[in-house]
Amino acid sequence: MTDAPALSPQRLRHAYRQMRLIREFEERLHVEIATGEIPGFTHLYAGQEAVAVGVCEQLGDGDYIVSTHRGHGHCIAKGCDVLGMMKEIYGRRDGLCKGKGGSMHIADTSKGMLGANAIVGGGPPIAVGAAIACKIRGNRQVSVAFGGDGSANQGTVFEAMNMAVVLKAPVIFVMENNGYSEHTGAAYAIGSCDLAGRARGFGMPAECIDGADFFAVYEAMGRAVARAHRGEGPTTLEAAITRFYGHFEGDPQNYRAKDEVARHRRTMDCLQRFRARVEADGSVAIADLDAIDAEATDLIDRAVREARAAPAPVEADLYTDVYIQY
Amino acid sequence: MTDAPALSPQRLRHAYRQMRLIREFEERLHVEIATGEIPGFTHLYAGQEAVAVGVCEQLGDGDYIVSTHRGHGHCIAKGCDVLGMMKEIYGRRDGLCKGKGGSMHIADTSKGMLGANAIVGGGPPIAVGAAIACKIRGNRQVSVAFGGDGSANQGTVFEAMNMAVVLKAPVIFVMENNGYSEHTGAAYAIGSCDLAGRARGFGMPAECIDGADFFAVYEAMGRAVARAHRGEGPTTLEAAITRFYGHFEGDPQNYRAKDEVARHRRTMDCLQRFRARVEADGSVAIADLDAIDAEATDLIDRAVREARAAPAPVEADLYTDVYIQY
Amino acid sequence: MSQLSMRDALNQALHQEMARDERVIVLGEDVSGGAGGSSGEREASGGIFGVTKGLLPRFGDQRVIDTPISESAIIGAAAGAALAGLRPVAELMFADFVGVCLDQIYNQIAKFRYMFGGRSTCPVVIRMAMGAGMNMGPQHSQSIYAMLTAVPGLKVVVPSNARDAKGLLIEAIRDDDPVVFFEHKALYPRKGEVPEEPYTVPFGEAGLLREGEHVTVVALARMVPFAEKAIDALVKEGITCDLIDPRTTSPLDIDTILESVEGTGRLVIVDESPPRCSFAADVASMVAEKAFGALKRPIIQVTPPHTPVPFAPALERLYVPGPPRIEAAIRQAMARAT
Amino acid sequence: MSQLSMRDALNQALHQEMARDERVIVLGEDVSGGAGGSSGEREASGGIFGVTKGLLPRFGDQRVIDTPISESAIIGAAAGAALAGLRPVAELMFADFVGVCLDQIYNQIAKFRYMFGGRSTCPVVIRMAMGAGMNMGPQHSQSIYAMLTAVPGLKVVVPSNARDAKGLLIEAIRDDDPVVFFEHKALYPRKGEVPEEPYTVPFGEAGLLREGEHVTVVALARMVPFAEKAIDALVKEGITCDLIDPRTTSPLDIDTILESVEGTGRLVIVDESPPRCSFAADVASMVAEKAFGALKRPIIQVTPPHTPVPFAPALERLYVPGPPRIEAAIRQAMARAT
Ligand SMILES: Cc1ncc(C[n+]2csc(CCOP(=O)(O)OP(=O)(O)O)c2C)c(N)n1
Ligand SMILES: Cc1ncc(C[n+]2csc(CCOP(=O)(O)OP(=O)(O)O)c2C)c(N)n1
Ligand SMILES: [Mg+2]
Ligand SMILES: [Mg+2]
């Protein structure tokens, strides 16, 4: 808490709203995907909301993030329009990416959201580049690379980490360790079983945090941003977290113990824990949170309704947006 | 010394011979390249001999190594024919690779030498694969990946290290830190300024050794091989060393202090230090070493003579050796 | 002879070859799956596309190796294992991922034999799933066989049906040269007659799937069933075509194509990858040089536009050359006749 | 107007654009050199090929960035910096190194605009040295522009002389689309008339370097001076050729080629990369479709064999298409006339 000033009630409500919106978005997608109406394959972020929101609540539109194949939460947390996102996921013409990218490529550079990414490890080098721009401008902007435990084994991520240290780039590597890459456990795929330790090996400070605790994430991120602002370069945050659903929708999850998700839903639900904490310290009225929940449900209802009704792209769209001029 | 039995006089003479042969080979190339007679560009290993030889004296033909663009020393240490090597470097038809590869691609798989490599970081993943083969055969073979300080920043190397730990592959990563990658200092390009520490971050033991001390390299390598034999997986050896010449022949070396190489030649010459040590403990007669020096000079003379006289490849050779059958 | 999906045909080939030759190993991400999972159950996956199912329980984790997400290390490890005497079959999952490991494919594996003066072999098979049609978006739907067909030292296989797929994969595993093996995602569930016993389909021998007089049609992978549809629809109008499935783009059986064009004088090439420097262009250029005299009409290429693969189903359907576009191209080849 | 080598012309372009637009940055390995060296001297290098000389002293290490050997991070950083509003010029050194960073080029940079629905720009220039002729061996001598020409979303520049090189590089830096810029190693020292002031050479406009009646010759990069030699030698025999240098392979000025073929009826394409799925095949296939009626003779492609680039001078000389092979191809195009 020392590093970050206590959050005002409306900041707290905003943070809660963002987490709830992500949860609602994903829970609803889980239902709609089952109907077969949504094309492609989708990776849900439900369970990890406190990481995206705890990080992005420390950022402004001028700051940058790069995301992953599991990007919906990062997009919402960075301020992407949920209606445009839902339409994109439905493959609609007025989706955020005109239906050309889909779930794994949602982006809004005007919001500093430099794209979800369907290539594991594709994002971190891009985040370093955005950080170079921040550094040259000298305007206290920072850049964030979200990534999973599995992505941490991609060489591109190591290159990005070392280069960030060499260039003292203001970038924060947020490693969301949800225990699995697809159907393989992190305990197997990460030789050292210690992402933070690996990052320290590259010469940057690294903190391990409880990814289900918004406040822990928010405060650690505050320290990382402060370091970047002091010109001390990159930081890694390893967030222990879990995903409430399969790797992608339709994943039978045989690699998980029968009770694992249920147990995590009881103990690692960032929304429940946020509610418990603010109820305890009285910083926000529970009624306000209930109201936010209702709003979120309505907004997502509307998003799905509009996405269903929205027009599909037309043949002319097939040839556009490849080049600015060719 | 505890790990490695004291070396017999003839083993010592053999080690010295290998180091001298490499030095002679490279010093002579330095002279011949200046005449313009040798095609392409060449990276000399002179100064680093104790690393290649200290490592390879712990290996047999059944063990594997992968090398780099600076590969002559590794090739000689692993038993490649110096006459065939010299012819290859001259681009001759009966060169070790029929003149098709050249200095940066010398290989002899029958000797377990899986190739020099002109792609920085190309080798380590290949070494992990050879180690997988060793592990499956369960025949106590090991695999070695030689690499420089600069190569240590290539993502492929990190991937190889992590995978080796995950698979407990019997591979030893020998990082020859000669202080430079091309014209850039390791102090700049390696954020942590600590290759061994980075390797430890991946979950494997790493030792820092004096690369100019044959005995230090040999004994550390003995410990690494013993670990591999015990099924404990990979080890990294970071050898502090220097190169006596430029990055490639013709490099003006403006990045180096005027006296740097001279100083290193005085203090970091593995041959002088080997001589001093065996003279002190009397394990080998200096006269024997002088005789070895003379032999080496003769052999390299002959290699250059034969390479000069050897025939160039002919047009028919242009189309062969791409496929076994096509 | 039983009806098998291409997925099961490929799986059968892997089982039979691993049983036959203990040097054959399989490695890749989730080829088994389950390692380090909380259920303790191994083979939680059997491959994202199910092609490696049953291999781990049968052959063990020394020969069926789950890897971290480290494609350069996966392909590089396959290369090193092959140089050391094994016969690795590496799975890259999506072909689009060549971007993170191309060096090991095109600078290392493809060139070892040549660079080393013919003194080594690198019998690696690299399997990868290709193609559009499942709305997987721009980074999971590409058909990049042209990029690898262009690389001297590689052999490239692009099967169109279950029967060929099994025989070609067994051939690939037994081949002493490196082989890149493309599997079209949309063809995995497609069934065909597949002999139970092991057999090989030789490289560099095209399949002639339809015989006709008027037009030569060349197609690969998913474009083959689409071309069959188009061709069969035209028969009632008296337009008949040779349909040639090269099966391997490197080596390429150009002779069968040239022979056919000598007879028809008309060539339509159907290719799922964008038009520039493509396989379609490759075939067209060879015919324009070697069968020029026989050509009665311009060579027609049916390809997607010069754009990435779109996500939206409405666009992806338009992007992929389908039977109607192929039919139109064949008509065009005829029409110009008058 | 002064005589400059292509190296100095490129260097001048970088100096002028960095001075003009402070958003332009340069990054890569040893673009300056000397960082962390014991002499303390910066710019110990100025680029392995000397193209970035003088930039660090003039523009400082915030805009002239030496990097570790981490090509994926170099190209990815260029991509991210561009998305964030800069105009990075990344140096990959040897084009052969695309193998370790292709993903950032072909899945990221090339596709951003499309994947993001046209709502972003990624004005990156990626410079890389290509080509054989210096005995640098199989992994340092390739001509891989076809691989990247095939990628929708990229523009690809392959200059053949100093004057074009400067104008095309300035155009590339000012272009809002991603551009891959190939520099032939053997052309770096070649001098030509180069205007001092900044100027641009537009993309998609071929240069017509010779005009003739009998044969259309298309060539790129180092093949252009070789083709000039061959063409000039034939003039005394009364054989005259159009020599077309496309300068950019994407976009490609196919119209100029088609127009010329309409006149000559004969086409010879000279390409330094191996024949399969090549730029030569690409051009041949377009002509075989769009100027078929005008063709009097088979299209002839002059390329190296389907092999890696050999190291030995004796072999590399035979590998690279030289003036004699080009001359022979032109004769062949004529000969068949009778
Ligand atoms: C380069 C690359 N390799 C493999 C994949 C296939 N893939 C998609 S997601 C994924 C697992 C990623 O795990 P992690 O980084 O932990 O993220 P999580 O799915 O847990 O959020 C894999 C292997 C890919 N998309 N890109
Ligand atoms: C992928 C790749 N990037 C860059 C190069 C160019 N290059 C060749 S050697 C070298 C420096 C390597 O430094 P280090 O690993 O320390 O080896 P050393 O030269 O010191 O022996 C570089 C950058 C290359 N060959 N391959
Ligand atoms: Mg994960
Ligand atoms: Mg070095």
Side-chain angles (χ1 to χ4, degrees):
Chain A
M1 281 306 235
T2 51
D3 304 75
L7 285 154
S8 69
Q10 81 254 49
R11 293 297 306 284
L12 286 170
R13 281 194 296 271
H14 182 262
Y16 179 82
R17 176 180 177 284
Q18 294 291 78
M19 293 195 288
R20 173 60 68 190
L21 208 50
I22 295 168
R23 177 70 55 86
E24 202 61 31
F25 193 93
E26 301 294 61
E27 300 271 10
R28 182 63 180 269
L29 272 179
H30 178 68
V31 173
E32 299 303 332
I33 285 165
T35 70
E37 213 184 329
I38 293 176
F41 67 157
T42 317
H43 309 79
L44 301 183
Y45 192 72
Q48 304 183 201
E49 297 86 350
V51 182
V53 176
V55 165
C56 291
E57 285 298 296
Q58 292 281 7
L59 304 176
D61 281 0
D63 299 306
Y64 300 99
I65 71 167
V66 299
S67 173
T68 70
H69 57 287
R70 198 176 301 286
H72 303 167
H74 307 132
C75 294
I76 293 173
K78 196 64 172 62
C80 293
D81 169 43
V82 292
L83 301 176
M85 284 176 62
M86 191 63 82
K87 286 177 185 153
E88 186 60 31
I89 291 165
Y90 271 81
R92 302 311 192 201
R93 189 177 191 205
D94 50 0
L96 209 47
C97 305
K98 301 188 189 166
K100 291 176 176 181
S103 166
M104 293 197 288
H105 300 293
I106 295 172
D108 186 345
T109 51
S110 70
K111 292 281 201 306
M113 201 294 160
L114 304 187
N117 206 309
I119 300 298
V120 167
I126 296 165
V128 172
I132 289 172
C134 300
K135 192 177 158 212
I136 288 177
R137 296 200 191 102
N139 59 3
R140 296 171 59 84
Q141 289 173 351
V142 302
S143 166
V144 175
F146 286 99
D149 49 283
S151 77
N153 297 319
Q154 186 66 258
T156 55
V157 177
F158 302 127
E159 289 189 4
M161 285 186 161
N162 179 63
M163 193 178 289
V165 173
V166 168
L167 301 179
K168 284 202 180 322
V171 55
I172 293 113
F173 298 93
V174 178
M175 300 256 163
E176 300 183 67
N177 188 345
N178 63 8
Y180 295 99
S181 62
E182 282 185 359
H183 307 153
T184 295
Y188 172 81
I190 297 161
S192 64
C193 295
D194 175 10
L195 292 176
R198 233 158 52 169
R200 285 186 206 103
F202 283 94
M204 77 179 89
E207 282 193 53
C208 293
I209 52 180
D210 176 349
D213 177 351
F214 164 79
F215 298 93
V217 176
Y218 181 80
E219 289 155 21
M221 182 63 182
R223 291 186 287 274
V225 171
R227 274 194 84 249
H229 286 166
R230 291 196 303 272
E232 294 168 20
T235 301
T236 290
L237 303 179
E238 177 182 359
I241 191 62
T242 189
R243 53 169 154 81
F244 286 171
Y245 294 104
H247 171 60
F248 45 69
E249 286 305 278
D251 173 5
Q253 303 190 67
N254 307 332
Y255 50 90
R256 291 179 115 168
K258 290 279 151 291
D259 65 336
E260 182 188 326
V261 172
R263 197 175 67 253
H264 285 152
R265 278 187 179 268
R266 278 197 308 279
T267 60
M268 292 180 73
D269 183 331
C270 58
L271 288 158
Q272 284 171 23
R273 286 173 55 177
F274 186 98
R275 277 175 165 268
R277 166 146 171 187
V278 296
E279 187 164 23
D281 66 20
S283 46
V284 182
I286 290 305
D288 295 358
L289 303 185
D290 294 338
I292 289 170
D293 292 354
E295 280 165 38
T297 313
D298 294 347
L299 180 54
I300 300 304
D301 269 334
R302 184 180 148 210
V304 170
R305 257 196 330 277
E306 291 191 9
R308 280 222 189 85
V314 299
E315 176 149 22
D317 301 328
L318 193 56
Y319 309 95
T320 56
D321 303 321
V322 181
Y323 297 94
I324 292 164
Q325 163 204 35
Y326 191 68
Chain B
M1 283 304 235
T2 51
D3 305 75
L7 285 154
S8 70
Q10 82 251 49
R11 292 297 307 284
L12 286 169
R13 281 193 296 270
H14 182 263
Y16 180 82
R17 176 183 178 283
Q18 295 290 77
M19 293 194 289
R20 172 60 68 189
L21 208 51
I22 296 168
R23 176 70 55 88
E24 203 59 32
F25 193 93
E26 301 292 63
E27 300 270 11
R28 182 62 181 269
L29 272 179
H30 178 68
V31 172
E32 299 302 333
I33 285 165
T35 70
E37 213 185 327
I38 293 176
F41 66 157
T42 317
H43 310 80
L44 300 182
Y45 191 72
Q48 306 184 198
E49 298 86 350
V51 182
V53 176
V55 165
C56 292
E57 285 298 295
Q58 292 280 6
L59 305 176
D61 281 1
D63 300 306
Y64 300 99
I65 72 166
V66 299
S67 174
T68 71
H69 57 286
R70 199 176 302 285
H72 304 167
H74 308 131
C75 293
I76 293 174
K78 195 66 174 62
C80 294
D81 169 42
V82 293
L83 301 176
M85 283 177 61
M86 191 63 82
K87 287 178 185 152
E88 186 61 29
I89 291 164
Y90 271 81
R92 301 311 192 200
R93 189 176 193 206
D94 49 1
L96 209 47
C97 306
K98 301 188 188 167
K100 291 177 176 181
S103 165
M104 293 197 286
H105 300 292
I106 295 172
D108 185 344
T109 51
S110 71
K111 292 281 200 309
M113 202 292 161
L114 304 186
N117 206 309
I119 300 299
V120 167
I126 296 164
V128 172
I132 289 173
C134 299
K135 194 178 157 213
I136 288 177
R137 298 199 190 103
N139 59 2
R140 294 172 58 83
Q141 289 173 351
V142 302
S143 167
V144 175
F146 286 99
D149 49 283
S151 78
N153 297 320
Q154 187 65 258
T156 55
V157 177
F158 302 126
E159 289 188 6
M161 286 187 162
N162 179 63
M163 193 178 290
V165 173
V166 169
L167 301 179
K168 283 204 183 317
V171 55
I172 293 112
F173 298 93
V174 178
M175 299 256 163
E176 300 183 68
N177 188 344
N178 62 8
Y180 296 99
S181 61
E182 280 184 0
H183 306 153
T184 295
Y188 171 81
I190 296 162
S192 64
C193 295
D194 175 10
L195 292 176
R198 233 158 53 170
R200 284 185 206 105
F202 283 95
M204 78 180 88
E207 281 194 54
C208 292
I209 53 181
D210 176 351
D213 177 350
F214 163 80
F215 297 93
V217 176
Y218 180 81
E219 289 156 21
M221 182 63 181
R223 290 186 287 274
V225 171
R227 276 195 82 248
H229 286 167
R230 289 196 304 273
E232 294 168 20
T235 301
T236 290
L237 303 179
E238 177 182 358
I241 191 63
T242 189
R243 54 169 152 84
F244 286 171
Y245 293 105
H247 171 60
F248 45 71
E249 285 306 278
D251 174 3
Q253 304 191 66
N254 306 333
Y255 49 90
R256 291 179 114 169
K258 292 277 151 294
D259 66 335
E260 183 189 325
V261 172
R263 200 176 63 250
H264 286 153
R265 278 188 180 268
R266 279 196 307 278
T267 60
M268 293 179 73
D269 183 329
C270 57
L271 288 157
Q272 285 171 23
R273 285 172 58 176
F274 186 99
R275 277 174 164 266
R277 167 145 170 186
V278 296
E279 186 164 24
D281 66 18
S283 47
V284 182
I286 290 304
D288 294 358
L289 302 185
D290 295 338
I292 289 171
D293 293 354
E295 281 165 36
T297 312
D298 294 348
L299 180 55
I300 299 305
D301 270 335
R302 183 181 149 208
V304 170
R305 258 197 330 277
E306 290 192 8
R308 278 223 191 84
V314 298
E315 177 149 21
D317 301 328
L318 193 56
Y319 310 95
T320 56
D321 303 320
V322 181
Y323 297 94
I324 292 164
Q325 163 205 33
Y326 191 67
Chain C
M1 203 80 125
S2 61
Q3 284 279 329
L4 282 189
S5 67
M6 187 170 93
R7 169 187 290 103
D8 293 341
L10 290 163
N11 178 255
Q12 196 174 73
L14 289 172
H15 272 275
Q16 291 175 342
E17 285 303 288
M18 288 194 79
R20 184 188 62 81
D21 183 346
E22 67 172 17
R23 296 168 307 168
V24 177
I25 66 169
V26 165
L27 72 164
E29 295 157 20
D30 287 317
V31 289
S32 157
S38 59
S39 73
E41 173 175 343
R42 288 300 260 117
E43 189 167 81
S45 173
I48 287 302
F49 300 105
V51 175
T52 50
K53 268 212 177 3
L55 296 176
L56 179 93
R58 185 168 171 195
F59 301 106
D61 64 6
Q62 289 275 83
R63 290 179 64 198
V64 182
I65 303 170
D66 276 318
T67 68
I69 308 176
S70 306
E71 284 79 8
S72 291
I74 293 167
I75 305 303
L83 288 176
L86 299 184
R87 305 186 75 87
V89 180
E91 173 168 319
L92 187 53
M93 205 181 304
F94 288 81
D96 310 68
F97 305 162
V98 292
V100 293
C101 59
L102 183 68
D103 182 70
Q104 288 293 339
I105 301 174
Y106 104 114
N107 271 332
Q108 312 296 341
I109 290 172
K111 295 180 171 61
F112 281 148
R113 182 168 180 78
Y114 186 84
M115 294 190 298
F116 300 170
R119 294 200 171 78
S120 72
T121 64
C122 193
V124 170
V125 178
I126 306 172
R127 296 180 40 245
M128 47 184 88
M130 63 166 268
M134 343 280 295
N135 316 119
M136 288 185 164
Q139 293 177 338
H140 277 61
S141 306
Q142 295 169 89
S143 298
I144 54 139
Y145 39 76
M147 180 193 291
L148 298 179
T149 300
V151 179
L154 298 179
K155 292 177 177 175
V156 178
V157 183
V158 190
S160 68
N161 64 70
R163 192 184 198 295
D164 286 353
K166 177 180 173 181
L168 289 163
L169 182 52
I170 291 177
E171 176 77 8
I173 293 170
R174 297 180 185 180
D175 195 295
D176 286 327
D177 289 312
V179 179
V180 178
F181 198 96
F182 286 94
E183 301 166 8
H184 198 298
K185 297 188 279 289
L187 296 178
Y188 277 132
R190 235 165 162 270
K191 293 199 169 192
E193 290 290 320
V194 177
E196 170 65 34
E197 72 283 356
Y199 59 95
T200 61
V201 172
F203 291 172
E205 284 186 25
L208 183 59
L209 302 177
R210 294 286 188 278
E211 295 194 56
E213 307 166 36
H214 306 101
V215 180
T216 300
V217 179
V218 175
L220 287 171
R222 190 184 183 206
M223 297 299 100
V224 171
F226 284 175
E228 287 174 334
K229 229 175 164 187
I231 288 168
D232 296 346
L234 286 164
V235 172
K236 59 179 172 327
E237 303 178 27
I239 300 174
T240 65
C241 305
D242 276 352
L243 173 57
I244 297 171
D245 173 2
R247 295 198 285 223
T248 61
T249 60
S250 179
L252 175 68
D253 178 1
I254 189 64
D255 296 343
T256 296
I257 296 170
L258 294 173
E259 241 168 69
S260 171
V261 172
E262 294 291 344
T264 61
R266 301 180 184 82
L267 176 60
V268 170
I269 309 161
V270 192
D271 189 346
E272 191 178 323
S273 64
R276 302 299 314 281
C277 303
S278 62
F279 176 72
D282 190 56
V283 171
S285 71
M286 291 187 203
V287 172
E289 178 154 1
K290 301 196 175 67
F292 177 76
L295 281 172
K296 299 181 197 144
R297 307 282 164 263
I299 297 168
I300 299 171
Q301 303 176 52
V302 184
T303 74
H306 183 64
T307 78
V309 183
F311 161 73
L315 287 179
E316 197 188 42
R317 264 192 304 276
L318 293 163
Y319 177 91
V320 176
R325 281 191 57 203
I326 301 169
E327 202 179 309
I330 295 170
R331 284 181 200 285
Q332 187 190 346
M334 295 302 293
R336 299 239 195 123
T338 57
Chain D
M1 204 81 124
S2 61
Q3 284 278 329
L4 284 188
S5 67
M6 188 171 94
R7 170 187 290 102
D8 294 341
L10 291 164
N11 178 255
Q12 196 173 73
L14 289 172
H15 271 276
Q16 291 176 341
E17 285 304 287
M18 288 193 80
R20 184 187 62 80
D21 183 346
E22 66 172 19
R23 297 168 305 168
V24 177
I25 66 169
V26 165
L27 71 165
E29 294 156 21
D30 286 319
V31 288
S32 156
S38 59
S39 72
E41 173 176 343
R42 290 298 261 114
E43 194 175 74
S45 172
I48 287 303
F49 299 105
V51 175
T52 50
K53 268 214 176 3
L55 297 177
L56 179 93
R58 185 169 171 195
F59 300 106
D61 64 6
Q62 290 274 84
R63 290 179 62 197
V64 182
I65 304 169
D66 276 317
T67 69
I69 308 176
S70 306
E71 285 78 9
S72 290
I74 293 167
I75 306 302
L83 288 176
L86 299 184
R87 305 185 76 87
V89 180
E91 173 168 317
L92 187 54
M93 204 179 303
F94 289 80
D96 311 68
F97 305 161
V98 293
V100 292
C101 59
L102 183 69
D103 182 71
Q104 288 292 338
I105 300 174
Y106 104 114
N107 272 332
Q108 312 296 340
I109 290 171
K111 295 181 171 63
F112 281 147
R113 182 168 180 78
Y114 186 84
M115 294 190 299
F116 300 170
R119 293 201 172 78
S120 72
T121 65
C122 192
V124 170
V125 177
I126 306 173
R127 295 181 39 245
M128 47 184 87
M130 62 165 270
M134 343 280 294
N135 316 120
M136 288 186 165
Q139 293 177 338
H140 277 61
S141 307
Q142 296 169 88
S143 298
I144 54 139
Y145 39 77
M147 179 193 292
L148 298 179
T149 300
V151 180
L154 298 178
K155 292 176 177 177
V156 178
V157 184
V158 190
S160 68
N161 63 72
R163 191 184 200 297
D164 285 354
K166 177 180 172 179
L168 289 163
L169 182 52
I170 291 177
E171 176 78 7
I173 292 170
R174 297 180 186 181
D175 196 296
D176 286 327
D177 289 312
V179 178
V180 178
F181 198 96
F182 286 94
E183 301 166 8
H184 198 297
K185 296 187 280 290
L187 296 178
Y188 277 133
R190 248 177 147 254
K191 293 197 168 189
E193 290 290 319
V194 177
E196 171 66 32
E197 71 284 356
Y199 59 93
T200 61
V201 172
F203 292 172
E205 284 186 25
L208 183 59
L209 302 176
R210 293 288 187 277
E211 294 193 57
E213 306 167 37
H214 305 101
V215 181
T216 301
V217 179
V218 175
L220 287 171
R222 189 183 183 209
M223 297 300 100
V224 172
F226 284 177
E228 287 173 335
K229 226 172 165 190
I231 289 167
D232 296 346
L234 287 164
V235 172
K236 57 180 173 330
E237 303 178 26
I239 299 175
T240 66
C241 304
D242 277 350
L243 173 57
I244 297 170
D245 172 2
R247 296 197 286 222
T248 60
T249 61
S250 179
L252 175 68
D253 178 2
I254 189 64
D255 297 342
T256 296
I257 296 170
L258 294 173
E259 242 168 70
S260 170
V261 172
E262 294 292 344
T264 62
R266 302 180 183 83
L267 176 60
V268 171
I269 309 162
V270 191
D271 189 345
E272 191 178 322
S273 64
R276 301 300 313 283
C277 304
S278 62
F279 176 71
D282 191 56
V283 170
S285 70
M286 291 188 205
V287 172
E289 178 154 0
K290 301 197 175 68
F292 178 76
L295 281 172
K296 300 182 197 142
R297 310 278 165 264
I299 297 167
I300 300 172
Q301 302 176 52
V302 184
T303 75
H306 182 64
T307 78
V309 183
F311 161 72
L315 287 178
E316 198 189 41
R317 264 192 305 275
L318 293 163
Y319 176 92
V320 176
R325 282 190 56 204
I326 300 169
E327 203 179 308
I330 296 170
R331 283 181 202 285
Q332 187 191 343
M334 294 303 293
R336 301 234 195 127
T338 58

